[in-house]
Amino acid sequence: MIPTLNEERNLPHVFAKLPDGIDEVIVVDGGSRDRTVAVARELRPDVVIVQQTRTGKGNALACGFAACTGDIIVMIDADGSTDPAEIPSFVAELVAGADFVKGSRFDKGGHSHDITKLRKLGNDGLNLVVNVLFKTRFTDLCYGYNAFWRRVVPTLALPDPALPRPTDGSKLWGDGFEIETMINIRAAADGMKVGEVGSVEHARIHGQSNLNTFRDGFRVLRTIFSEYGRMRRQRRTGSQGTGVILHQHPTATPATTTPVHALNKVVNRPPVAGVAPAGDPRQHVAHLNRGLRRDDVGTRRTDDIKALQSRATRED
């Protein structure tokens, strides 16, 4: 899924790097005034074009999630900063048992050709606040390269795309750049098994970013404290948002084992030292918590998922 706004010059590069086996590409357009939509259709005739209902990246993502039909959703940017060739690594982690996988520019194998020293300092500070409040182990909170099972979308509880835009022209909470922080925190706080994959961020190819370091940094900080309050309220009332419990690679449960369903009891458990076996081909992945495994992931497009997983193994 690719949010766009005047990205006609960048789309050829992004589409050319999409790996084989992807059967659905959704472009969510925010009202581009150039040939973004036309170029997307020329590059891939089967592309699904979705027009976002309000403004902001958060609304674009919510509109895109609602349109997705595949088992796995991968979020990439249209400016060339996120590398589509990394998608198999994300998919491999999901198939191996993760609920939600996020890219990290600062984990093993990650790097950024675009971040400034000021933004890096801000990102480190925001990471620290989140890791203390939520007992997580994030290394890159604000990077927007994520992949997850489609069935976790209701748990993320994003603003409904059908809601009208405020009459004063402002954004609904969750419609702006804070969306990336919001979904990362909610994935961990709601008990999903969250992992990080090292990812290389490239500089934008054409055009200028809409990111404002100070304005959006303070909005992210506000999001962190808002989400902390949400988590405390949910735990006080014993609720878990929508109560959706899905998202996991099937595992066999011994007949003598009593199922445990209290997800909040296992959220963000620190990784056990030495848990990864020697020779583990997935050493580039750092799990941020150790949520319970759940059954019943989607079974559609299994061949495509296996193909991507096989490709990731060959590349490793």
Side-chain angles (χ1 to χ4, degrees):
M1 189 195 66
I2 312 172
T4 61
L5 181 62
N6 300 323
E7 302 285 4
E8 67 166 305
R9 292 191 294 170
N10 295 324
L11 286 185
H13 169 84
V14 174
F15 275 52
K17 299 195 71 175
L18 290 173
D20 297 333
I22 294 178
D23 63 348
E24 181 178 66
V25 176
I26 293 179
V27 168
V28 185
D29 191 62
S32 296
R33 296 183 179 181
D34 62 5
R35 297 186 66 251
T36 292
V37 172
V39 168
R41 287 179 171 144
E42 291 168 2
L43 293 170
R44 187 163 178 137
D46 64 343
V47 68
V48 177
I49 304 295
V50 176
Q51 293 293 334
Q52 68 178 96
T53 55
R54 295 186 295 275
T55 60
K57 187 172 184 178
N59 174 247
L61 294 180
C63 291
F65 296 164
C68 289
T69 63
D71 294 315
I72 290 174
I73 297 175
V74 182
M75 301 161 39
I76 63 173
D77 290 333
D79 59 8
S81 61
T82 53
D83 185 357
E86 296 175 354
I87 289 176
S89 296
F90 288 76
V91 172
E93 282 306 303
L94 291 170
V95 173
D99 299 320
F100 186 101
V101 180
K102 64 183 303 298
S104 172
R105 296 163 291 182
F106 313 118
D107 194 18
K108 183 177 179 181
H111 183 68
S112 176
H113 297 284
D114 184 58
I115 196 167
T116 63
K117 291 182 179 179
L118 179 61
R119 285 172 51 206
K120 177 63 167 61
L121 181 63
N123 188 77
D124 290 344
L126 295 170
N127 280 338
L128 178 62
V129 173
V130 168
N131 290 337
V132 170
L133 292 179
F134 295 91
K135 296 181 173 58
T136 51
R137 299 173 65 88
F138 286 117
T139 64
D140 194 359
L141 180 69
C142 300
Y143 192 40
Y145 199 165
N146 299 320
F148 46 89
W149 294 101
R150 180 169 59 92
R151 298 182 72 178
V152 313
V153 171
T155 307
L156 301 178
L158 303 183
D160 188 342
L163 292 173
R165 182 180 180 181
T167 55
D168 62 0
S170 61
K171 293 182 176 68
L172 294 180
W173 186 247
D175 275 359
F177 279 107
E178 71 277 4
I179 186 64
E180 292 161 354
T181 300
M182 178 183 291
I183 64 176
N184 291 337
I185 291 176
R186 289 187 179 180
D190 287 346
M192 301 181 203
K193 184 178 179 183
V194 180
E196 282 187 337
V197 173
S199 176
V200 177
E201 179 187 38
H202 301 274
R204 166 182 275 273
I205 302 173
H206 300 288
Q208 295 182 338
S209 172
N210 293 317
L211 182 68
N212 181 290
T213 300
F214 292 100
R215 180 196 64 204
D216 293 313
F218 282 116
R219 193 171 179 93
V220 168
L221 186 61
R222 179 185 170 195
T223 301
I224 292 170
F225 288 109
S226 175
E227 291 302 306
Y228 182 66
R230 174 181 181 267
M231 181 187 71
R232 289 176 60 86
R233 287 191 300 272
Q234 287 186 348
R235 292 184 176 181
R236 232 180 4 249
T237 60
S239 66
Q240 281 290 324
T242 61
V244 177
I245 303 175
L246 309 160
H247 358 298
Q248 204 52 267
H249 187 65
T251 57
T253 303
T256 57
T257 302
T258 302
V260 179
H261 298 289
L263 290 180
N264 60 352
K265 294 183 180 179
V266 295
V267 168
N268 309 325
R269 185 182 305 162
V272 179
V275 68
D280 186 347
R282 296 181 289 112
Q283 292 293 330
H284 60 292
V285 174
H287 286 294
L288 307 183
N289 57 23
R290 295 180 61 82
L292 295 177
R293 290 197 170 193
R294 297 290 177 188
D295 295 335
D296 192 26
V297 296
T299 56
R300 296 181 298 106
R301 299 174 176 81
T302 302
D303 292 340
D304 292 335
I305 293 174
K306 287 182 177 178
L308 288 174
Q309 185 183 23
S310 175
R311 174 174 175 172
T313 301
R314 293 196 303 270
E315 290 177 352
D316 287 344

